[in-house]
Amino acid sequence: MTIAKVELRAHQWVHRSPVPLPELAFQHILAAILRGDYVSGDKLDTALFAQELHMSLNPIREAIIRLRDIGLVEVTPARYTKVADFTAADSCAALSYAGVLAGTALRKALPTTGEGLRSDLAAYAEEIGGADGAVGRNAAVIGFLTAVTDLIEHPRQAIHLVEATILAQCALQFSGVTRGDVTQVRSAAAGAAAHAMRAGEPYAAEKAVRALFENLA
């Protein structure tokens, strides 16, 4: 994350970063949520964020709108802004959607992806399927989605997967749902995905990745 460079002149903060203020606000609020400073249902104080970042409310509001569009916060005009409640159904839907996007991206990119990168992707899939605890599994999920995003050439499509990854990370972090009955299915899907990626089989990889993400939560 790029940090704004500021200096104090006449009691005002001067923005010295090439990163737009709404992006800085977005990163700041997102980081606070991912750190656990705010959990599902907690209200967000836009005035406090503006004070912390030494900026007006306008870029804070733009950041909140972006977080709302991703699905991370809920906004009720003139009442409250709060972190979204991640129910089991919502979490499964978020993870499944991330799997759809990642699978589609792999189907398109895998034929031109080198053996080394395919091996790295396969290793992430194996970690997802074989992780003993939620922490290791979640880290592998985010690592996998990030690696797939790096394969996408179209900027808008890459941003779309980044946003889906953010929502998937929050779903894994806040849902608290673990379905033990899908452990074997998840492991089998992870193995199939790893095999397809190492072999460079795009359609098989897409199918296995979708199945894997459908059984994460």
Side-chain angles (χ1 to χ4, degrees):
M1 187 195 315
T2 302
I3 305 299
K5 295 180 180 178
V6 295
E7 61 184 52
L8 189 60
R9 290 181 180 174
H11 305 290
Q12 292 185 353
W13 292 96
V14 179
H15 183 60
R16 297 296 188 189
S17 172
V19 180
L21 289 175
E23 176 64 22
L24 289 173
F26 173 82
Q27 295 287 355
H28 178 80
I29 299 169
L30 174 62
I33 294 172
L34 293 178
R35 282 196 309 268
D37 296 350
Y38 302 91
V39 298
S40 294
D42 281 357
K43 292 184 178 180
L44 300 175
D45 187 341
T46 54
L48 176 60
F49 291 134
Q51 182 180 6
E52 291 174 345
L53 292 169
H54 306 286
M55 62 178 63
S56 70
L57 285 173
N58 285 337
I60 302 296
R61 293 187 181 116
E62 289 186 45
I64 291 292
I65 289 172
R66 183 177 169 193
L67 289 164
R68 179 203 65 189
D69 291 345
I70 292 174
L72 189 52
V73 304
E74 298 174 2
V75 179
T76 299
R79 289 186 60 194
Y80 62 77
T81 298
K82 69 176 185 177
V83 179
D85 293 316
F86 287 88
T87 65
D90 291 337
S91 296
C92 289
L95 292 164
S96 179
Y97 184 58
V100 169
L101 293 180
T104 301
L106 278 174
R107 173 169 51 81
K108 294 179 179 180
L110 211 57
T112 57
T113 300
E115 183 178 348
L117 285 176
R118 296 202 310 270
S119 180
D120 291 342
L121 290 166
Y124 276 124
E126 289 169 342
E127 287 181 33
I128 295 171
D132 292 332
V135 174
R137 179 201 62 181
N138 296 353
V141 168
I142 303 308
F144 175 78
L145 290 174
T146 301
V148 173
T149 301
D150 291 339
L151 299 177
I152 301 175
E153 295 183 357
H154 193 283
R156 182 60 244 178
Q157 293 175 352
I159 291 173
H160 198 178
L161 185 51
V162 167
E163 293 174 346
T165 299
I166 291 170
L167 189 58
Q169 183 171 0
C170 291
L172 288 167
Q173 186 168 327
F174 296 138
S175 68
V177 176
T178 301
R179 297 186 300 164
D181 59 318
V182 300
T183 301
Q184 290 185 342
V185 176
R186 183 167 59 235
S187 179
H195 174 78
M197 285 184 285
R198 284 198 173 96
E201 300 172 351
Y203 288 94
E206 178 184 21
K207 180 179 179 180
V209 166
R210 289 191 179 201
L212 175 58
F213 276 74
E214 285 173 358
N215 292 285
L216 278 178

